[in-house]
Amino acid sequence: MVKENLEEVERRISEACRRAGRSREEVTLVAVSKTKPVSMIEEAYRTGIRDFGENKVQELCEKHEVLESDIRWHMIGHLQRNKVRQVVDKTVLIHSVDSVRLAAQIDEEAAKKGITADILLEVNVAAEESKYGFRLEETEQALREIAAFSHVHIQGLMTIAPFVDNSEENRPIFKKLYQFYVDMRGKNIDNVTMSMLSMGMTGDYEVAIEEGATLVRVGTGIFGTRYKIGENEG
């Protein structure tokens, strides 16, 4: 099932890229493997997938221990400051940096391990009360503060769009974040690359790609129905 699902997701990503006049190489598929057993991740791995996203630190750490060493783990869920130490050197990218204090903690733990952590700032574009992330109007100030830290590197932005029945409803959200992303890139802020835009999940990743996403986070579309209901990612 995983193999067939991945073929369909790949087809849809390629089609979305074609419609947008983009190269398929511009978009990274992050397979959201939260709550999924190792056997399913191994099945996806055998098809060539190397980027996997996890919501919870404990689950990421457990899978990191037993799965292949060339997997690129992405932390996509809300990250508590007291858990940063466990995960900072196990991820290629932390998508969900939603406060300056969290960034400071990542900077501190990365310094202890002698590494630089790549991060994205999570932006709550729709200003939903139930979601984490910076409001759009406060993101530039936060970005400039965090850019001063020496052991984190801001690679771009992430958003979790509202849950909607029609993916077209989220197009304005993606369009707005992409425009902000381009604006920030044009300001050439030191220690800010602005080369990654993580937006789009199973229900709306095609629209997100059409609006400029460089990473899409797909869980249900690859692994089937979630084991836990009510989570935001995938």
Side-chain angles (χ1 to χ4, degrees):
M1 182 187 78
V2 171
K3 181 175 182 288
E4 289 77 11
N5 288 349
L6 272 166
E7 287 171 356
E8 174 64 11
V9 169
E10 178 57 43
R11 184 189 68 77
R12 290 169 64 178
I13 289 174
S14 296
E15 281 292 302
C17 287
R18 184 187 58 76
R19 288 193 299 273
R22 302 179 65 192
S23 162
R24 172 64 186 89
E25 283 65 46
E26 292 177 39
V27 180
T28 298
L29 170 61
V30 178
V32 178
S33 49
K34 64 174 191 184
T35 77
K36 299 297 182 271
V38 164
S39 59
M40 290 184 87
I41 300 172
E42 287 175 332
E43 190 177 346
Y45 181 91
R46 286 194 296 273
T47 73
I49 296 292
R50 292 296 178 269
D51 291 273
F52 290 88
E54 288 289 335
N55 255 47
K56 292 186 165 48
V57 168
Q58 183 179 345
E59 197 173 345
L60 188 152
C61 291
E62 288 171 357
K63 290 172 178 175
H64 181 275
E65 284 299 304
V66 299
L67 283 155
E68 284 78 358
S69 61
D70 63 337
I71 286 178
R72 295 183 289 268
W73 293 103
H74 297 247
M75 181 66 200
I76 60 174
H78 177 62
L79 179 58
Q80 296 170 297
R81 284 182 294 131
N82 64 352
K83 301 279 183 72
V84 169
R85 171 179 54 82
Q86 299 169 49
V87 82
V88 71
D89 58 346
K90 296 180 178 66
T91 56
V92 295
L93 189 64
I94 299 172
H95 292 229
S96 47
V97 176
D98 56 10
S99 71
V100 174
R101 291 175 75 199
L102 174 59
Q105 189 71 42
I106 295 170
D107 181 66
E108 182 181 321
E109 297 297 343
K112 288 178 187 172
K113 294 179 186 290
I115 61 172
T116 298
D118 285 334
I119 65 171
L120 305 180
L121 300 198
E122 181 174 352
V123 186
N124 186 353
V125 182
E128 292 181 279
E129 291 298 330
S130 61
K131 299 268 178 73
Y132 294 102
F134 297 99
R135 300 296 171 100
L136 197 58
E137 63 273 14
E138 62 190 21
T139 304
E140 182 175 353
Q141 176 60 36
L143 194 144
R144 290 181 181 277
E145 287 183 48
I146 294 167
F149 299 154
S150 57
H151 288 271
V152 297
H153 183 69
I154 302 172
Q155 295 281 1
L157 307 170
M158 180 270 249
T159 196
I160 301 170
F163 180 77
V164 293
D165 291 326
N166 179 0
S167 60
E168 283 296 326
E169 293 176 45
N170 280 335
R171 192 178 293 275
I173 300 289
F174 299 142
K175 198 182 287 284
K176 189 180 289 188
L177 188 61
Y178 179 76
Q179 188 54 58
F180 179 78
Y181 165 81
V182 171
D183 290 347
M184 291 301 100
R185 192 164 59 199
K187 296 193 177 187
N188 293 318
I189 302 167
D190 284 348
N191 199 28
V192 178
T193 302
M194 281 294 144
S195 61
M196 297 182 183
L197 189 56
S198 173
M199 56 187 196
M201 300 186 291
T202 291
D204 55 17
Y205 66 86
E206 291 156 284
V207 173
I209 289 168
E210 290 169 5
E211 295 301 333
T214 71
L215 299 118
V216 292
R217 311 178 304 273
V218 181
T220 308
I222 295 170
F223 297 108
T225 306
R226 303 185 183 101
Y227 290 5
K228 296 178 183 175
I229 303 303
E231 305 245 13
N232 282 324
E233 295 288 338

